[in-house]
Amino acid sequence: MMLQRSVSILILIIVGATSKLMSQKMTPEQVVQNQLEAYNQRDINAFMSVIDPKVTFHNFSEGVETMKGRQACKEFYAALFEASPNLHSKIITRTVFGNKIIDHESITGRNGNDKPLELVLIYEVQNEKISKVTVLKKQK
């Protein structure tokens, strides 16, 4: 009887701890890190799992929106992943500022090009999804 009660209490503790862990939200940095890892693995489904349905992409220098919506994003990145078997992004620096993650990245293998492309990306995260990406390209 005592053993059965102890086992029951232990099960309740494990279930409670597991539920708490499962209900914990990802931080904005974790969301962006998951997206980066999916990008480097060229895994379109994992990549899209952290993209908001109404995501927008913006060119910082020109101040224009360059892409809007989940479907456009999926089509663009699926084509990029297909055309870039050696695609890899390395974080040079990362700044976390509330729900904004600012990554200075060096990307190689994009569309078969081995010359590094340097970008600064500002990710805005809402409800565990990337809702806005602003891209700064290094001026030549």
Side-chain angles (χ1 to χ4, degrees):
M1 178 91 153
M2 184 70 150
L3 178 61
Q4 185 178 8
R5 181 181 159 104
S6 296
V7 169
S8 295
I9 291 172
L10 182 58
I11 289 171
L12 286 173
I13 291 170
I14 291 171
V15 168
T18 303
S19 295
K20 185 173 181 171
L21 284 174
M22 290 175 61
S23 69
Q24 288 180 342
K25 290 188 173 189
M26 285 190 292
T27 66
E29 184 176 15
Q30 289 168 325
V31 170
V32 172
Q33 184 61 36
N34 286 350
Q35 183 259 2
L36 175 70
E37 290 168 8
Y39 179 93
N40 283 338
Q41 294 168 3
R42 298 179 344 273
D43 181 340
I44 193 65
N45 292 324
F47 183 89
M48 294 306 299
S49 74
V50 293
I51 300 295
D52 187 87
K54 296 179 181 179
V55 68
T56 58
F57 287 74
H58 303 264
N59 177 309
F60 179 84
S61 298
E62 297 173 12
V64 296
E65 185 176 271
T66 56
M67 188 169 19
K68 184 174 188 174
R70 193 177 198 312
Q71 189 59 38
C73 179
K74 184 174 185 177
E75 290 171 9
F76 176 85
Y77 281 97
L80 177 65
F81 293 169
E82 181 70 28
S84 308
N86 297 316
L87 185 65
H88 185 79
S89 179
K90 176 184 169 197
I91 301 300
I92 297 170
T93 61
R94 173 172 280 173
T95 301
V96 178
F97 192 74
N99 72 324
K100 293 168 187 66
I101 309 303
I102 306 162
D103 282 350
H104 179 187
E105 300 183 16
S106 176
I107 302 168
T108 54
R110 188 177 169 117
N111 293 316
N113 190 346
D114 288 331
K115 184 177 178 187
L117 169 65
E118 269 189 66
L119 299 174
V120 171
L121 296 123
I122 304 170
Y123 299 95
E124 294 186 37
V125 179
Q126 302 288 336
N127 301 316
E128 300 183 82
K129 302 286 184 190
I130 296 170
S131 59
K132 181 177 179 184
V133 181
T134 303
V135 181
L136 291 80
K137 293 183 180 179
K138 195 171 193 179
Q139 299 298 314
K140 295 178 183 180

